Amino acid sequence: GFRFLEVVVGEFLPYMVASNVSAKRIVRSLLEFASQRKIVNVSLSAVNLFWNVADHVKSVEIKEVLMGLRKVAVDSRPDVRNCAMRSLASTIVSSGSNFRIHPEWTFTMNDILMPLLCTVRCLFESISLPIHLHTKLYSYCRYAKTKNEQQQNMTDRKSVV
């Protein structure tokens, strides 16, 4: 399955984007392969393919790519996690000049970077932070968790319909 996806992304993605095929399906497939636990090279290759998708999609669909990379950026495997973090940073840097303040940069900050920071914070709670940073980060983490749960519930409802 992954070899097929590699060919689709590598060879046919420009044609698919030109014919208005949604990147959402491709991103979901890449996320599944990046998250699988059997073959780490497949995970790493899938993360790298996010970069190809990001180069070809419209600004509306870049959100899907960023969300996928954010999810993989907290993988328990260091190689996969680091690859996802680098790809996420590179995607933001390369696409950021095309972002408008609203909605792309607001989305990137509120839905990608801050929740990622909160997740990392939650994973490494034992690290001591100055109390004022700890309090602000904790408050935002609670807000982000609630928002993500609401978005997941909406997504689940849409998939049922």
Side-chain angles (χ1 to χ4, degrees):
F2 183 69
R3 286 286 182 211
F4 177 74
L5 186 60
E6 277 185 308
V7 171
V8 168
V9 171
E11 302 295 325
F12 300 108
L13 187 62
Y15 305 109
M16 294 171 69
V17 171
S19 64
N20 294 323
V21 172
S22 174
K24 194 177 271 190
R25 287 184 181 168
I26 295 170
V27 169
R28 280 189 207 146
S29 297
L30 289 175
L31 183 58
E32 288 295 321
F33 281 111
S35 300
Q36 62 81 33
R37 299 278 181 197
K38 291 182 181 177
I39 305 170
V40 73
N41 286 339
V42 169
S43 296
L44 294 171
S45 296
V47 170
N48 286 328
L49 288 176
F50 274 104
W51 178 260
N52 292 14
V53 175
D55 282 347
H56 289 93
V57 297
K58 301 171 187 168
S59 64
V60 173
E61 292 179 321
I62 197 76
K63 292 177 180 182
E64 297 294 329
V65 174
L66 295 175
M67 290 293 287
L69 286 169
R70 186 192 88 191
K71 290 175 183 174
V72 181
V74 293
D75 193 279
S76 63
R77 298 165 294 174
D79 291 342
V80 175
R81 183 176 60 240
N82 291 335
C83 186
M85 290 296 278
R86 284 190 195 104
S87 294
L88 179 61
S90 296
T91 300
I92 292 171
V93 167
S94 68
S95 302
S97 62
N98 298 324
F99 287 2
R100 293 168 288 163
I101 296 297
H102 296 286
E104 289 94 354
W105 274 115
T106 302
F107 170 82
T108 301
M109 291 303 297
N110 292 340
D111 295 341
I112 302 298
L113 297 176
M114 289 305 292
L116 181 58
L117 181 60
C118 289
T119 303
V120 170
R121 180 218 160 253
C122 292
L123 292 172
F124 298 102
E125 277 185 301
S126 62
I127 297 174
S128 62
L129 292 172
I131 191 68
H132 71 281
L133 289 178
H134 181 71
T135 303
K136 286 180 183 178
L137 197 52
Y138 179 75
S139 297
Y140 188 84
C141 287
R142 286 190 357 212
Y143 163 78
K145 182 179 178 185
T146 303
K147 185 175 179 182
N148 285 339
E149 287 171 354
Q150 290 170 347
Q151 287 176 341
Q152 185 62 42
N153 288 339
M154 290 179 72
T155 303
D156 291 344
R157 287 182 197 143
K158 287 180 183 177
S159 65
V160 170
V161 174

